[in-house]
């Protein structure tokens, strides 16, 4: 498997529900970031969590990091149709990032 | 600020043809990157640059060359395009360290026939 791998590959929920996606990685990291990609667009940075942090919030986003399990989760609360996108975790070990294959989130109105 | 821009947005090449993709950023970032994105896969790093005049290989550099003659521009070249290079190419930049937040361009969709 890849250094960063998101789970599930695809997720479909109703508007207003919460969406949770997970990221697992293999080696020690400096930080972990989550990005969003709308269809046909570039990636947009959502949130960065450093290796010495356990939880971080940004608006409706909540990210947790468990370095002992080498995993992170992204929670989107009260989802909206506009949250429909692919979400990628990027793990930073050394100079560069490694991106996972992403989770495709569909929020149905 | 325009952020990170890429030209062209779309391109169709025949096998063996060459082309250059241009990336420009107006944020005075030191680091710049070229990625490719294929269906079902995350982004894979092709080449990157840690400053003007310097470049380095990433995960999948074969068949590509890059140049960073000016701090704000990062060029990706395909000397002899192959169908396996059909992909969406993204440029990104970051302020200093390679593991800081990256800012992405809108992408170039390349098809090699």
């Amino acid at each position: 498997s890849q250094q960063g791998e998101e789970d599930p590959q695809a997720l479909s929920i109703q508007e207003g529900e919460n969406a949770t996606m997970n990221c697992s990685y293999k080696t020690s990291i400096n930080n972990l970031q989550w990005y969003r990609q709308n269809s046909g667009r570039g990636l947009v940075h959502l949130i960065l969590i450093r290796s010495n942090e356990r939880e971080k919030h940004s608006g409706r986003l909540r990210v947790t990091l468990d370095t002992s399990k080498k995993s992170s989760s992204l929670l989107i609360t009260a989802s909206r149709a506009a949250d429909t996108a692919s979400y990628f975790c990027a793990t930073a070990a050394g100079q560069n990032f490694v991106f996972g294959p992403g989770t495709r989130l569909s929020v149905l109105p | 600020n325009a952020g990170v821009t890429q030209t062209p947005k779309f391109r169709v090449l025949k096998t063996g043809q060459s082309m250059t993709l241009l990336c420009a950023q107006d944020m005075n970032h030191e680091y710049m990157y070229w990625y490719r994105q294929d269906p079902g896969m995350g982004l894979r790093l092709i080449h990157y640059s840690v400053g003007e005049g310097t470049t380095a290989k990433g995960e999948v550099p074969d068949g590509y060359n890059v140049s960073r003659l000016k701090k704000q521009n990062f060029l990706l070249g395909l000397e002899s395009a192959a169908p396996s290079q059909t992909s969406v190419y993204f440029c990104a930049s970051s302020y200093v360290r390679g593991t800081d937040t990256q800012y992405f361009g809108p992408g170039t969709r390349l098809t090699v026939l």
Side-chain angles (χ1 to χ4, degrees), chain A residues 30-31 33 35 37 40-43 45 48 88 92 94-97 99-101, chain B residues 31 33 35 37 40-43 45 48 90 97-102 104-106:
Chain A
N30 301 323
N31 65 59
Q33 302 187 25
Y35 288 80
Q37 183 181 34
R41 311 291 289 272
L43 277 71
H45 178 257
L48 179 154
F88 297 88
Q95 285 287 341
N96 297 314
F97 286 125
F99 287 85
Chain B
Y31 281 64
Y33 314 82
Y35 293 92
Q37 184 178 35
M41 301 184 72
L43 277 70
L45 183 64
Y48 64 99
F90 289 98
R97 291 176 55 214
T99 54
D100 280 349
T101 299
Q102 295 192 2
F104 283 82

Side-chain angles (χ1 to χ4, degrees), chain A residues 74-99:
Chain A
L74 170 67
L75 169 67
I76 304 173
T77 60
S79 63
R80 307 166 181 168
D83 294 327
T84 294
S86 292
Y87 292 81
F88 297 88
C89 70
T91 50
Q95 285 287 341
N96 297 314
F97 286 125
V98 177
F99 287 85

Side-chain angles (χ1 to χ4, degrees), chain A residues 48-83:
Chain A
L48 179 154
I49 186 165
R50 302 196 185 281
S51 58
N52 61 353
E53 297 175 312
R54 292 297 168 258
E55 188 170 312
K56 208 159 183 182
H57 295 256
S58 177
R60 294 184 295 114
L61 305 180
R62 172 177 169 254
V63 169
T64 61
L65 179 64
D66 187 334
T67 53
S68 67
K69 295 182 180 178
K70 292 187 170 56
S71 68
S72 173
S73 67
L74 170 67
L75 169 67
I76 304 173
T77 60
S79 63
R80 307 166 181 168
D83 294 327

